Amino acid sequence: MMKDLLKKLQKKSNKKGFTLVEIIVVLVILAILAAIAVPSVLGYVNEAKDEKYIQEAHSIYTVIQTEEAKYKATENVDNLDAFTYGEHKSDKASSTGVVQKAWDMTDIEVQSITRKGDTYTVKWNEDNKGITATINKNKDVKISKGSEIQ
């Protein structure tokens, strides 16, 4: 009788497969790895978006510089105090239509462009957020993101 019981136990232990404990341990290890990896990946995604905003601001800055140069050449002026920026893409009454050109030449819808001295502030909406880029004459860009737009 004892021999029969030992043979049965040996047969059961020779079965192939994983125990529940082994599977749980593997799942816990995978969960830990995922908890470490997901924030890193999301950080890279946010960095890529910020870089995209900076590149868009550079594109708009190039449009602004081009339009200001055209204005200086056609109006024969050195001072750009009379240079007018539209407040919205539909404002075609602005003297140069810079906002419209910036909207046409980039993938974004520029809301407004303002200038104080050598610093430009460009506002647009993207990813359901208001984006503001401040660009100076050294082409340094500072991006700030507003709250979600309803």
Side-chain angles (χ1 to χ4, degrees):
M1 181 127 182
M2 187 67 124
K3 285 183 178 182
D4 291 335
L5 183 61
L6 284 174
K7 284 183 181 181
K8 281 184 183 178
L9 287 175
Q10 284 177 343
K11 283 183 183 179
K12 282 186 181 180
S13 66
N14 287 337
K15 284 187 179 179
K16 298 198 180 200
F18 298 106
T19 65
L20 182 60
V21 173
E22 290 170 327
I23 293 173
I24 290 174
V25 167
V26 169
L27 290 176
V28 167
I29 291 170
L30 289 174
I32 291 170
L33 290 174
I36 293 169
V38 169
S40 296
V41 170
L42 291 178
Y44 291 132
V45 169
N46 289 334
E47 286 177 22
K49 282 184 181 180
D50 288 347
E51 187 60 33
K52 176 184 172 191
Y53 299 150
I54 290 170
Q55 293 306 318
E56 288 172 344
H58 280 253
S59 297
I60 294 168
Y61 182 78
T62 302
V63 171
I64 293 168
Q65 293 299 303
T66 303
E67 291 304 311
E68 285 185 357
K70 284 182 189 175
Y71 181 79
K72 282 181 179 180
T74 57
E75 300 298 321
N76 204 16
V77 293
D78 289 330
N79 188 352
L80 291 179
D81 289 339
F83 195 78
T84 305
Y85 297 97
E87 287 300 315
H88 193 270
K89 75 175 178 86
S90 63
D91 184 7
K92 295 187 181 191
S94 68
S95 64
T96 60
V98 173
V99 173
Q100 184 67 36
K101 288 183 191 248
W103 184 67
D104 290 343
M105 294 179 75
T106 61
D107 294 336
I108 61 174
E109 184 174 331
V110 176
Q111 298 298 316
S112 68
I113 300 172
T114 55
R115 176 178 171 230
K116 286 186 182 176
D118 289 333
T119 304
Y120 300 87
T121 303
V122 181
K123 294 182 180 182
W124 71 88
N125 298 329
E126 193 164 319
D127 298 329
N128 292 325
K129 292 186 179 167
I131 309 297
T132 303
T134 306
I135 314 159
N136 64 24
K137 68 179 181 177
N138 297 330
K139 295 186 181 181
D140 293 332
V141 179
K142 181 182 176 194
I143 300 290
S144 56
K145 295 172 244 175
S147 59
E148 287 205 17
I149 298 168
Q150 298 296 330

